[in-house]
Amino acid sequence: MSNDLSHSSTSQPDPVTHTNSFSSHFHSQGLPQTAKMTEARHQVNFITGNANKLSEVKAILEPAISVTNQSLDLVEIQGTLEEVTIDKCRRAAELVGGPVLVEDTCLCFDALQDLPGPYIKWFLGSIGHEGLNNMLLAYKDKGAKAVCTFGYSAGPGHEPILFQGITHGKIVPARGPSNFGWDPIFEYEGKTYAEMDKAEKNKISHRSRALAKLQEWFAKEMTA
Ligand SMILES: O=c1nc[nH]c2c1ncn2[C@H]1C[C@H](O)[C@@H](COP(=O)(O)OP(=O)(O)OP(=O)(O)O)O1
Ligand SMILES: [Mg+2]
């Protein structure tokens, strides 16, 4: 199974789909020209206000790529997963005045045509784990995709490059510690993310799958 959203990395983009208008931002589409890195190649400045994201990104990328962090409150627009990350990445690069990595995480319910998607943070904050389960009560299909879309920009004016990872699981009543977002209600192969230890989650998570693509791209850049 591909780890990408249906249209993000197909070799023959369908020009009518919304997602495909951004397909050129994906590294698999052969982009790197706009993002040649002039500075240290083994470092990223990850702009996020979420300490759990930061610790997972550090655990996965370090020591090969060192991760610095600035916690900025970035405006998040409405739009597709790709639009949200691209806009977030451009804003971060402008604010920081240098290279940045950002990430937007979505939780997409199969029965709801991928909603709440990028709006999961507000749904989770408003209705919690139980409310999210209740949203699916009318449906047999409890399937859900966890989607992570990272955006890297070499600096202001440099177009973001996207790296996306998807893990398919299902929505279940909460099990396990409530340390990180919707981890307790997202089950993958019999365990919720919250029931896994960190190393276990990082092996199969949406975030690690996206970061594998970023690592591959960085490795190519270093030998270019
Ligand atoms: O692996 C995860 N496992 C469980 N929950 C997660 C995960 N990753 C993000 N989340 C939560 C955090 C937030 O409620 C929403 C994403 O929103 P999102 O805007 O991407 O995150 P955020 O605002 O916390 O941090 P940031 O400063 O990087 O935008 O899903
Ligand atoms: Mg956010």
Side-chain angles (χ1 to χ4, degrees), residues 14-215:
D14 166 5
V16 297
T17 64
H18 217 47
T19 320
N20 270 329
S21 52
F22 294 92
S23 61
S24 64
H25 286 272
F26 281 87
H27 79 112
S28 54
Q29 300 283 323
L31 285 171
Q33 293 90 324
T34 52
K36 281 281 176 222
M37 282 175 281
T38 48
E39 22 245 289
R41 292 179 168 206
H42 300 262
Q43 196 189 312
V44 291
N45 189 13
F46 182 36
I47 311 303
T48 182
N50 188 314
N52 288 305
K53 281 189 185 180
L54 179 63
S55 77
E56 287 188 9
V57 169
K58 276 175 164 279
I60 293 164
L61 291 183
E62 292 185 332
I65 299 172
S66 76
V67 180
T68 57
N69 167 248
Q70 276 170 271
S71 176
L72 298 177
D73 195 13
L74 299 168
V75 169
E76 291 176 22
I77 62 162
Q78 290 184 22
T80 64
L81 287 59
E82 290 78 20
E83 286 168 320
V84 172
T85 302
I86 288 167
D87 184 79
K88 212 168 162 179
C89 193
R90 286 189 185 134
R91 281 173 205 272
E94 292 291 338
L95 275 169
V96 167
V100 289
L101 182 69
V102 302
E103 179 252 75
D104 199 70
T105 300
C106 299
L107 190 62
C108 305
F109 294 175
D110 296 342
L112 300 181
Q113 264 59 262
D114 288 347
L115 286 171
Y119 313 113
I120 182 58
K121 182 172 179 171
W122 290 271
F123 277 76
L124 179 65
S126 303
I127 63 174
H129 294 148
E130 195 180 344
L132 287 167
N133 267 273
N134 288 344
M135 279 173 67
L136 289 175
L137 274 185
Y139 305 90
K140 233 186 179 160
D141 183 0
K142 311 294 181 192
K145 291 189 291 278
V147 185
C148 221
T149 311
F150 281 87
Y152 177 82
S153 166
H158 291 263
E159 273 309 282
I161 299 172
L162 303 184
F163 307 92
Q164 191 169 75
I166 302 179
T167 298
H168 197 267
K170 66 177 184 180
I171 301 303
V172 296
R175 300 197 315 262
S178 283
N179 303 328
F180 189 7
W182 38 264
D183 268 358
I185 61 160
F186 186 80
E187 185 187 272
Y188 176 81
E189 293 188 349
K191 271 191 190 176
T192 65
Y193 269 176
E195 290 175 315
M196 299 177 188
D197 65 34
K198 273 291 164 197
E200 209 177 347
K201 179 184 173 190
N202 288 345
K203 256 187 230 154
I204 50 83
S205 78
H206 53 305
R207 184 163 290 107
S208 66
R209 289 174 177 174
L211 288 174
K213 295 179 185 176
L214 180 137
Q215 284 164 315

